[in-house]
């Protein structure tokens, strides 16, 4: 777990430091950890207005020292709560994929009705598949996966997705993930394509989903908001 903490710490600190809007990136990670401004401020020993000012841009962008203390504070809070966020990140690492390729990988304690998963994603079902539940989800950056994974790694990422929902980010029509699903076994229970309008969906997407018995849905909801709600599953 210490290796996962160090790797996650570097990732968060790097994103905040290199961001064009460090305050917004800090806010994204704080909400991802489900930590309030007051809780983070108490952890850092500063007034909550300090955290608020950094996130809103009212204060000058935080230096590396402030970023490091903030990141460590988030991780310390997570560990006190049982380390759920760290465990999730460790699962991504143990699966052998970089965290910028697999954004989120979770297993649920019990099977979740697919309808509840769709509600959390703000998803609209296009095709009803053979299963009405999911046991977990994997959020994949489709561009990073296509450009960086070998064919063996790509197969392994898809093939480890039994009874899961796969969420593919940065797709424009959905052609590449659905074509790739044709060559792997077993297939996931559901595929969700966020950021895509129904009218822009590839003409053959629904047909391929039906052939494989995979539920297919699209979503226009903000992905960060979706991930926050998916944590409750």
């Amino acid at each position: 777990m210490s290796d996962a903490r160090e790797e996650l710490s570097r990732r968060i600190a790097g994103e905040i430091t290199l961001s064009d809007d460090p305050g917004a990136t800090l806010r994204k990670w704080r909400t991802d950890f489900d930590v309030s401004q007051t809780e983070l401020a108490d952890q850092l020993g500063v007034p909550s207005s300090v955290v608020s000012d950094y996130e809103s841009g009212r204060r000058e962008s935080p230096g590396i020292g402030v970023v490091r203390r903030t990141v460590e504070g988030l991780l310390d809070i997570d560990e006190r709560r049982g380390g759920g966020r760290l465990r999730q990140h460790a699962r991504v690492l143990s699966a052998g994929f970089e965290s910028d390729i697999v954004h989120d990988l979770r297993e649920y304690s019990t099977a979740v009705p697919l309808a509840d998963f769709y509600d959390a994603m703000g998803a609209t079902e296009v095709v009803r598949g053979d299963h009405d539940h999911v046991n977990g989800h994997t959020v994949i950056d489709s561009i990073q996966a296509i450009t960086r994974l070998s064919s063996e790694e790509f197969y392994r990422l898809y093939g480890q997705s039994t009874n899961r929902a796969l969420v593919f980010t940065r797709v424009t029509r959905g052609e590449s993930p659905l074509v790739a699903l044709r060559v792997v076994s077993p297939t996931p229970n559901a595929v969700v394509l966020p950021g895509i309008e129904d009218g822009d969906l590839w003409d053959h997407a629904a047909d391929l989903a039906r052939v494989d018995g995979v539920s297919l849905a699209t979503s226009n909801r903000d992905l960060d908001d979706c991930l926050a709600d998916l944590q409750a599953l």
Side-chain angles (χ1 to χ4, degrees), residues 48-61:
S48 58
S49 59
V50 172
V51 176
S52 176
D53 287 348
Y54 274 128
E55 291 187 357
S56 65
R58 288 191 295 269
R59 278 180 180 255
E60 186 178 350
S61 296

Side-chain angles (χ1 to χ4, degrees), residues 27-157:
R27 182 172 61 252
K28 180 198 79 169
W29 280 105
R30 178 182 59 76
T31 55
D32 182 66
F33 276 75
D34 195 25
V35 174
S36 68
Q37 289 183 343
T38 300
E39 189 174 10
L40 179 58
D42 289 344
Q43 177 70 29
L44 300 177
V46 299
S48 58
S49 59
V50 172
V51 176
S52 176
D53 287 348
Y54 274 128
E55 291 187 357
S56 65
R58 288 191 295 269
R59 278 180 180 255
E60 186 178 350
S61 296
I64 188 61
V66 173
V67 171
R68 183 181 299 111
R69 287 183 57 222
T70 301
V71 172
E72 292 303 312
L74 288 174
L75 294 174
D76 287 343
I77 292 171
D78 183 65
E79 287 192 331
R80 282 204 306 271
R81 293 173 171 178
R85 190 69 177 85
L86 273 172
R87 284 198 303 275
Q88 180 272 322
H89 190 70
R91 284 197 295 271
V92 173
L93 293 179
S94 64
F97 302 105
E98 298 286 344
S99 55
D100 57 345
I101 298 175
V102 177
H103 293 312
D104 201 32
L105 187 156
R106 297 178 189 268
E107 293 81 33
Y108 309 145
S109 57
T110 60
V112 170
L114 188 55
D116 292 350
F117 182 83
Y118 284 159
D119 285 345
M121 288 291 303
T124 300
E125 189 172 67
V126 178
V127 172
R128 171 60 57 87
D130 296 338
H131 304 279
D132 61 0
H133 70 281
V134 289
N135 292 343
H137 68 258
T138 307
V139 181
I140 302 167
D141 185 311
S142 60
I143 303 300
Q144 294 284 1
I146 291 170
T147 57
R148 292 173 52 188
L149 295 183
S150 68
S151 57
E152 180 182 349
E153 289 172 326
F154 207 77
Y155 185 92
R156 180 160 55 88
L157 176 59

